[in-house]
Amino acid sequence: MAAPKYIKGKEPHKSEYRMIFRNVDRRGWDTSIKSYIADGGYKDLKKALKMKPQEVTDEVKTSGLRGRGGAGFPTGVKWGFIPPNNKKPVYLICNCDESEPGTFKDRYIVHQDPHQLIEGMLISCYAVGAKVAYIYIREEFPEGAKILEDAIEEARKKNFLGKKILGGKFNCEIYVHRGAGAYICGEETGLIESLEGKRPYPRIKPPYFPAALGLYMCPTIVNNVESLCNVKHIIAMGGQKYAKIGTPRNTGTRILCVSGDVIRPGYFEVEVGKITMGELINDVCGGLRKGRKLKGVIPGGSSAKVLRAGEKYTIGTGESERTIGINEIPMDFDTLAACGSMAGSGGVIVMDDSRDMTWILNNINTFYAHESCGQCTPCREGSLWMKKITDRMVSGSGVPSDLKTLTSVGDNIAGRTICAFGEACAWPTQSFVAKFPEDFKKHTSRRNAGKELNPESKAAAAGLKR
Amino acid sequence: MSAASKQTEDLVNVQVDGHWIQVKRGTRMIEACKQASAEVPHYCYHPKLSSPGNCRMCLVEMGMPPRPTPGQEAELDNDGHAKISWMPRPVIACANTVAEGMGIRTQSTLAKECREGVMEFLLINHPLDCPICDQAGECTLQEYSVEHGKGESRFLENKVKKPKNVDIGPRIRLDDERCVLCSRCVRFTQEIVDDDVLGFVDRGSHNVLTIHPDKPLANNYSLNTVDICPVGALTSNDFRFKMRVWFMRETKSICNGCARGCNILISSRENKIYRQTPRENNEVNSSWMCDSGRLNYHLLESDARLTDPMMKKGKSHETVDWPQAIRRTAEGLLKYKGDEVAIIASARMTNEELYLVRVLADTLETKNVDTLKCHGEGDDYLNHKDRRPNTNGAKAILKLRSPGSRVNSIKKGIESGSIKALLVYGENIESKGFDDGVLSKLKFLVSSHILANPTAKLSDIVLPGASYAEKRGSMINATGRLQLLNKAIEPPGNSRDDWEILQDLNCAMDGKDFIYELADLFSEMASVVPVLKGFTLSGIGEKGASVIETGETIPLLEREAQRVNQGLIVG
Ligand SMILES: Cc1cc2nc3c(=O)[nH]c(=O)nc-3n(C[C@H](O)[C@H](O)[C@H](O)COP(=O)(O)O)c2cc1C
Ligand code: SF4
Ligand code: SF4
Ligand code: SF4
Ligand code: FES
């Protein structure tokens, strides 16, 4: 396998470790099975089929792979939750709903390297004993759905998929299911409901843990696109070797999607924890725009708690305990959690000092108020309430009590809802108000009553360019 | 191990608000709290429906003893139970089940904050139109907001506007602004009556309950949704704006619409019935009843109600007083002997009344006694094809093997002239072929009913009786359950409770003493009717007692039992 060459202007940064995104923006590459096989594709499926299913799962456990969809839950452990004496069919679902604002990685895999996903899924199906798998793809990716459908047909022709795969006993079908056009369809139990043809109302857990009572009340494994692709590479190199990529407990690579106020936004596949926030922003992404200072970063998709430039974080325990600033945060699951936020979906949103956090929060609140499924009381009513408050604040009608109200509404949502959307919509409000009170107070002072204080329009007027 | 911490097969020890109790394994936390007299406020939870956990009103603090490290004894509390470590996150009490050693706090700061938070969320977009809302007085939103509300609003925004006064079916209206989106109504239509016509549309706070565009909520159980709606979002066209609930008196009784005998509450005020609602009985009707049975009471308000005893004079009838009507009836019947007299009674009558009919038949020495067989459609839920509430009572007391089988021979007897006098009780027999031509052959016809009907029109004497809501007594339903009928209102005008009419008649005929207490009459009956042996009227109880094995099952209850077994509902 020759080292891939990339399209001019789209070459990976030197700090990147291209594994999952090996074929993204690759010169001379297309989505055909021919390209894929010529590059060694489907060899890992063959390899896996020679192993016992449990051995495949064990490799995934050994690899330390953690879910790339948001929660970072160890994939092998999740697979182990299927009840041992299960008699029902098992389903595998690939979560390709990618809707978390700031996240744009799964779509590139689907659009440019569909066979990698299919191979990863087939190996995973084999491991968990699923004969039927679904790719639940975001409604807004019609082209991606078509590419996947074509790829599945190609794979079937080559007998990688269907009955008696590669002459063995393993049967497996993959179906593409177009999503229902809502963010909540990405929440795994909402997704399952949607796949069953219903409104994507998330289910309560317990009792409806998908691994036991999932699709059609059968054991179901839901994994993110990126997670499933990783399975292929784990089988290729073995769990042990995979575990050496990245850092302990935070193994493998991660595709970080950087957006916002940096010179070179985009997607970057890096070893987990081997790169710091500062390196990501300043080296990989070319730093901030001229004359601008870092104000804050949302490190893991819009629902992650914001980090403020200048904050100090204490990470590690005992001997290895140390205090770091925002630029020194290694981009891994555990450190970001220790800093009070999360690695989430890998969407890194960078904000410079031209931004008014009230406007940003208002923008986020608008998204969550619109996307709440409305099933449970705190999220349904609270998400819109928070939006209405920030709406009022940015249009010059804020009152001093708004900060307190915002925070307590957030407090009354987080931890009290059916699904994690509750946290997703409360965390931004809780963290933005706590960390940037001066921005919010500006909108509640009498002096500014009636004024729309939008610095973004000022910045635009000043002609600040990249 | 102390006695308190002893753990049996089916029982687990649970601490509720500091007190240890034992509850059945698998009990939902909310039910365990109830057993410990700690009612947990809730909206979406209903023991007969699945638990979506959507309202979040039942959030409580929960703790478990930490798993002891191997080889180590669990740390014990003063009371001998393993020490509980409390979770920082609240849990819903409605859908989670208890476990050995679990602790539940319903009154902690966290639990209270959760409830206050949820109440505030529910109220910010609520119209707060209690003064004009029918649910006021039995609204859990109103009730809980007093107990768990903040008192003062800090909501400065405009409320969400939603559809009001929406016609969703022939008997129900929907006010979406009052709806708390608990989905009880949706689950009822899906899970209990297989009529999936309700659902939610739109997102977030703009979520609204709506009806399928082409299918109204018109099934015969639709009004149960109004009962289970915790707020005034669903209101009954029949009841809305008629009466404030706190003014009404509730009488526990049973529906007489069919042989099911659904347990009901009759709500009345000043001798007028305003509504009927189901009363839970897990052996009969669960928590439901059909709409036709529920609205049956309007019959009692009919213009055709008979209010005075009447005697035929020429072609019309004239009003007489009771002593005269009874005397003339007794005289009329006594003119004939044995099988010259026939009695067509009704399975609408109570056991006590039927027993008095039996006494009457014995006095007259006639074997020509029967009731009508009135079968209709029935359904796969509760409604029974036997349209009479007390067929099993009639069978047992009048010793009828197959009710209705003698009716034809009675008709033939009348036609041939061998039967000369007929007493018809509680039925309009025209529908069974007893038309003018047949009945005019009789020498003497007495009928008793609550409504003027063709049989009454031909009767020599008409005795106005009382409806099911105007009298007491007992009945035996289709599944052999002995149940109590209670009096909610007085019979209109000079109409009377039937057991008094029949006793008066019996006294006039055989000179026996009047029994003044229904209970005594019941006891007398119980001494001669085998299936009632050992029962007393007061011993029947609010939920009745099984007296006959009929082998019949109740489709709706069968399915509920199945869901209980699957753990989907509490039951
Ligand atoms: C509101 C919400 C939206 C979500 N959206 C997505 C999504 O678009 N894609 C995704 O992979 N996971 C999403 N998740 C996470 C999934 O519920 C689930 O945890 C994930 O698909 C599991 O895959 P993983 O273990 O491979 O990460 C979402 C979660 C929540 C609470
Ligand atoms: S938390 Fe929000 S998105 Fe999740 S179930 Fe509740 S209302 Fe729906
Ligand atoms: S109408 Fe009533 S029962 Fe139905 S969802 Fe709304 S509040 Fe609940
Ligand atoms: S099912 Fe029969 S007894 Fe029950 S409410 Fe309906 S008519 Fe009355
Ligand atoms: S009662 Fe509604 S969540 Fe428990």
Side-chain angles (χ1 to χ4, degrees), chain B residues 413-526:
Chain B
I414 297 171
E415 279 164 340
S416 72
S418 68
I419 294 176
K420 301 189 168 61
L422 175 66
L423 170 63
V424 183
Y425 220 101
E427 297 284 2
N428 169 22
I429 54 174
E430 194 200 29
S431 61
K432 299 281 170 185
F434 292 80
D435 54 17
D436 281 26
V438 179
L439 293 181
S440 58
K441 295 241 163 72
L442 285 163
K443 296 264 174 358
F444 188 57
L445 174 62
V446 181
S447 71
S448 171
H449 205 278
I450 63 165
L451 299 178
N453 60 31
T455 311
K457 210 168 149 222
L458 295 169
S459 298
D460 296 292
I461 298 173
V462 180
L463 305 171
S467 75
Y468 70 95
E470 297 156 357
K471 62 188 180 188
R472 286 178 71 214
S474 64
M475 293 188 168
I476 304 173
N477 76 359
T479 44
R481 206 170 179 79
L482 177 64
Q483 307 195 101
L484 278 178
L485 192 68
N486 276 312
K487 179 171 178 167
I489 55 172
E490 293 295 330
N494 289 318
S495 57
R496 279 172 84 197
D497 200 335
D498 300 82
W499 77 284
E500 292 175 7
I501 302 175
L502 283 163
Q503 271 214 89
D504 275 349
L505 190 56
N506 279 341
C507 295
M509 299 200 32
D510 63 8
K512 260 206 211 143
D513 288 343
F514 196 94
I515 300 174
Y516 289 92
E517 291 294 329
L518 191 68
D520 296 338
L521 180 62
F522 185 93
S523 298
E524 185 184 311
M525 166 174 69

Side-chain angles (χ1 to χ4, degrees), chain B residues 220-221 254-264 276 278 284-285 288-296 379 381-384 386-387 389:
Chain B
N220 195 24
Y221 294 84
I254 52 174
C255 173
N256 273 12
C258 75
R260 181 67 56 225
C262 292
N263 289 207
I264 59 170
Q276 298 186 140
V284 181
N285 55 311
W288 326 112
M289 74 186 293
C290 77
D291 290 1
S292 41
R294 186 190 295 256
L295 300 176
N296 236 348
D379 63 24
Y381 303 95
L382 291 172
N383 207 282
H384 200 279
D386 184 353
R387 313 309 302 163

Side-chain angles (χ1 to χ4, degrees), chain A residues 67-70 73 78 95 97-99 183-184 186-188 222-224 227 420-421:
Chain A
R68 305 302 198 232
F73 194 83
K78 186 192 275 190
N95 190 341
D97 198 56
E98 189 165 70
S99 321
Y183 171 65
I184 198 59
E187 195 282 338
E188 54 188 4
V222 183
N223 274 128
N224 171 258
S227 314
F421 186 108

Side-chain angles (χ1 to χ4, degrees), chain A residues 90-325:
Chain A
V90 176
Y91 296 103
L92 181 102
I93 298 174
C94 167
N95 190 341
C96 183
D97 198 56
E98 189 165 70
S99 321
E100 174 84 359
T103 316
F104 42 89
K105 57 186 183 68
D106 298 342
R107 66 195 74 187
Y108 290 101
I109 298 171
V110 166
H111 284 121
Q112 299 193 30
D113 202 1
H115 285 288
Q116 179 187 200
L117 174 60
I118 292 169
E119 187 175 9
M121 284 181 71
L122 287 165
I123 298 170
S124 306
C125 282
Y126 178 70
V128 302
K131 293 193 181 64
V132 176
Y134 295 91
I135 303 173
Y136 188 97
I137 183 166
R138 186 177 166 164
E139 137 85 359
E140 294 86 344
F141 296 162
E143 193 56 31
K146 198 171 171 309
I147 291 169
L148 285 169
E149 299 263 15
D150 292 347
I152 288 169
E153 276 322 301
E154 284 180 319
R156 186 195 309 285
K157 287 208 184 95
K158 299 250 180 234
N159 193 219
F160 293 132
L161 183 142
K163 291 237 151 52
K164 299 199 170 142
I165 292 172
L166 298 173
K169 285 195 191 132
F170 178 50
N171 303 328
C172 191
E173 273 304 334
I174 300 179
Y175 300 101
V176 177
H177 186 100
R178 296 277 305 278
Y183 171 65
I184 198 59
C185 294
E187 195 282 338
E188 54 188 4
T189 58
L191 185 157
I192 287 170
E193 286 280 303
S194 174
L195 198 51
E196 288 182 4
K198 299 181 241 165
R199 234 170 122 75
Y201 271 179
R203 297 173 177 170
I204 48 171
K205 292 158 264 181
Y208 302 110
F209 290 110
L213 297 169
L215 186 63
Y216 310 120
M217 291 297 139
C218 297
T220 303
I221 297 298
V222 183
N223 274 128
N224 171 258
V225 172
E226 189 185 342
S227 314
L228 290 167
C229 289
N230 270 290
V231 172
K232 169 199 149 79
H233 300 281
I234 291 167
I235 295 308
M237 67 181 82
Q240 291 250 350
K241 187 160 173 225
Y242 180 97
K244 297 212 170 75
I245 308 171
T247 51
R249 295 203 63 223
N250 297 270
T251 59
T253 65
R254 214 156 176 194
I255 300 153
L256 298 176
C257 315
V258 187
S259 59
D261 299 327
V262 289
I263 298 288
R264 206 166 76 97
Y267 40 78
F268 308 96
E269 185 172 4
V270 295
E271 285 188 66
V272 183
K274 286 277 177 74
I275 191 172
T276 63
M277 182 81 82
E279 286 160 356
L280 179 68
I281 294 172
N282 298 317
D283 305 345
V284 180
C285 296
L288 304 175
R289 289 173 294 171
K290 197 154 169 271
R292 287 298 170 199
K293 285 213 275 296
L294 184 66
K295 184 161 182 175
V297 180
I298 305 172
S302 61
S303 55
K305 286 190 173 175
V306 66
L307 302 172
R308 181 182 171 133
E311 277 177 337
K312 294 285 171 225
Y313 311 98
T314 306
I315 60 165
T317 49
E319 298 237 320
S320 61
E321 187 179 298
R322 61 195 174 109
T323 302
I324 56 173

